[in-house]
Amino acid sequence: MAKYLVRALKYFIWFALILCLTMAVMAALGLVDPQPELMFRDGIKSVWQIAALFAAIALVYPMTGFRTQDAIVPGEYSQIRGKVINFMESRGYILETEEGENMTFRLRSKFGAFMKMFEDRITMTRSMDGFKVEGLRKEIVRIISGLEYMFGNETVDNYSKS
């Protein structure tokens, strides 16, 4: 629950920052009056309405933006470990921690991590048929697709060689 609230607060701050920067640029270019009473139709009341909207969105987004999903990766951990790490490195991630057969990755690029508000961690927990992958929904869909394609092709190649 604490992780959820921290994420919601981060998104609220991120949305507010983007709005402030946008409005500052528009005011600097002379497209809007820099006074909030003149910038918004209802003045300061509009600012509170926008903040309430951002708070609502920030509370909902962590529920939809993050998930855990299974990745089917056949093989013994000792055989697939290096390939998984190489795959993640090719995607711009570095191994952060490894505990037993569980791995955690972070983005190598600090700018990329900043753009994701440092919610760039991908956790791979070993399961019977591969890994349970946890992280940003958009990222884990790409990662799981790539891993399953890579290891699926190896399985097909091994059967065709037999």
Side-chain angles (χ1 to χ4, degrees):
M1 184 64 166
K3 186 187 241 185
Y4 175 82
L5 291 175
V6 168
R7 283 179 176 161
L9 181 62
K10 281 183 182 181
Y11 280 103
F12 178 78
I13 292 169
W14 187 251
F15 295 149
L17 180 66
I18 289 172
L19 176 67
C20 290
L21 288 174
T22 303
M23 298 312 293
V25 168
M26 290 175 66
L29 294 174
L31 300 173
V32 296
D33 197 296
Q35 297 176 12
E37 294 82 16
L38 301 173
M39 185 182 294
F40 300 107
R41 182 179 356 166
D42 293 331
I44 295 296
K45 183 179 177 186
S46 292
V47 173
W48 292 111
Q49 292 169 345
I50 292 169
L53 175 68
F54 285 172
I57 293 169
L59 283 172
V60 171
Y61 184 74
M63 285 188 281
T64 61
F66 296 86
R67 71 179 303 181
T68 301
Q69 188 173 330
D70 291 322
I72 299 171
V73 181
E76 294 293 321
Y77 183 75
S78 59
Q79 296 170 335
I80 64 173
R81 178 189 176 276
K83 293 175 187 172
V84 170
I85 292 172
N86 288 338
F87 173 79
M88 291 300 288
E89 287 177 349
S90 74
R91 305 276 308 166
Y93 287 86
I94 57 172
L95 182 64
E96 180 184 40
T97 62
E98 183 175 16
E99 297 172 9
E101 295 185 347
N102 302 326
M103 297 182 276
T104 303
F105 295 89
R106 297 297 298 255
L107 277 174
R108 180 181 306 113
S109 163
K110 297 301 178 201
F111 179 73
F114 172 75
M115 293 305 291
K116 294 179 189 303
M117 294 183 294
F118 299 99
E119 293 290 346
D120 61 324
R121 181 174 283 122
I122 302 293
T123 303
M124 295 185 173
T125 306
R126 191 74 166 133
S127 64
M128 292 297 289
D129 56 354
F131 292 99
K132 288 196 178 300
V133 184
E134 179 185 354
L136 280 168
R137 177 184 299 263
K138 182 172 72 170
E139 285 299 308
I140 68 166
V141 167
R142 292 178 184 154
I143 288 168
I144 290 170
S145 176
L147 283 171
E148 288 181 346
Y149 179 79
M150 182 175 72
F151 283 96
N153 278 345
E154 286 182 3
T155 304
V156 170
D157 288 345
N158 288 338
Y159 285 126
S160 65
K161 290 177 183 176
S162 302

